[in-house]
Amino acid sequence: MPPLGSTHRRPTTSAALGADPGPTSMPGGGGVLATAAGTYLLAWVVGLVVAPASPGAFATAAEVHAFFAAHGGAALVQSALVHGVAGLALAGWVLAVAARSRRARRSVAAAGLAAALLSLVQAATMAVLVVQAEAGRVSATDDAFDLINRLDTFKLLALGVLVALASVQGRGQRPAWLGWFGAGAAVLLPVSGAAFLVDVPALTSLLFASLPLLLAWVGAMTLVLLRSSVRMRRGAGAAARRSARSRAG
């Protein structure tokens, strides 16, 4: 049943073809989007410098335990930032982005929230890992470390799906370069996640490249959406003024 006061109209060409009917207004003037994006980026930047580089995914159990026994506190702070804070910020950012689309809202939100949830599980697992390392349990420490890496594989897959969906649902409404940027990130992220499964140097190199690419995409997408929101508000204000002048005349 159509809403009260609506009339039946023939669908436009874009609607008939199944294209995205266009962005909706951004709640809070984009404040949620900007705050979430800023928090996400800052959590990663700060998190990367608060602890030394952790062992590789295929390090021995003894190496893993020795590292976390020596740097458990720093590793816990780092994980709280790059997994905990970043995971919560990602959830807020994804919901703000999903609100911009009528058609792709659920799929974008589902992919992003899945990645955010996996990130929070990683944070919890790191807390367990540090406890095991401090207790001298080498095997348990290595098992927790391996689980965090496996979760990263699935998180990168979810992030790749998120980037792909967000890029496709905004096609034709955003700069072409952002679409190509998103296409590259959507491919690189899940492929780089294989670095945690197979010991191939090329995949490890892709993994290191995937993080700055993801952060750059989040920043670029945020700026484009904020600019779009400003244009929408200006257009709405101009239309309101024209309508007022028309009624006054």
Side-chain angles (χ1 to χ4, degrees), residues 138-176:
V138 177
S139 180
T141 302
D142 187 54
D143 288 343
F145 182 67
D146 187 57
L147 176 58
I148 291 172
N149 288 333
R150 295 294 184 269
L151 290 171
D152 240 334
T153 297
F154 291 104
K155 183 173 73 175
L156 287 167
L157 176 60
L159 287 169
V161 174
L162 166 64
V163 173
L165 290 172
S167 299
V168 170
Q169 63 94 4
R171 185 174 52 191
Q173 302 166 5
R174 297 172 192 155

Side-chain angles (χ1 to χ4, degrees), residues 21-74:
T24 60
S25 60
M26 183 179 291
V32 173
L33 182 77
T35 300
T39 302
Y40 183 73
L41 298 176
L42 186 62
W44 266 107
V45 171
V46 176
L48 290 175
V49 300
V50 298
S54 62
F58 297 94
T60 65
E63 291 171 335
V64 171
H65 178 265
F67 175 85
F68 287 103
H71 306 289

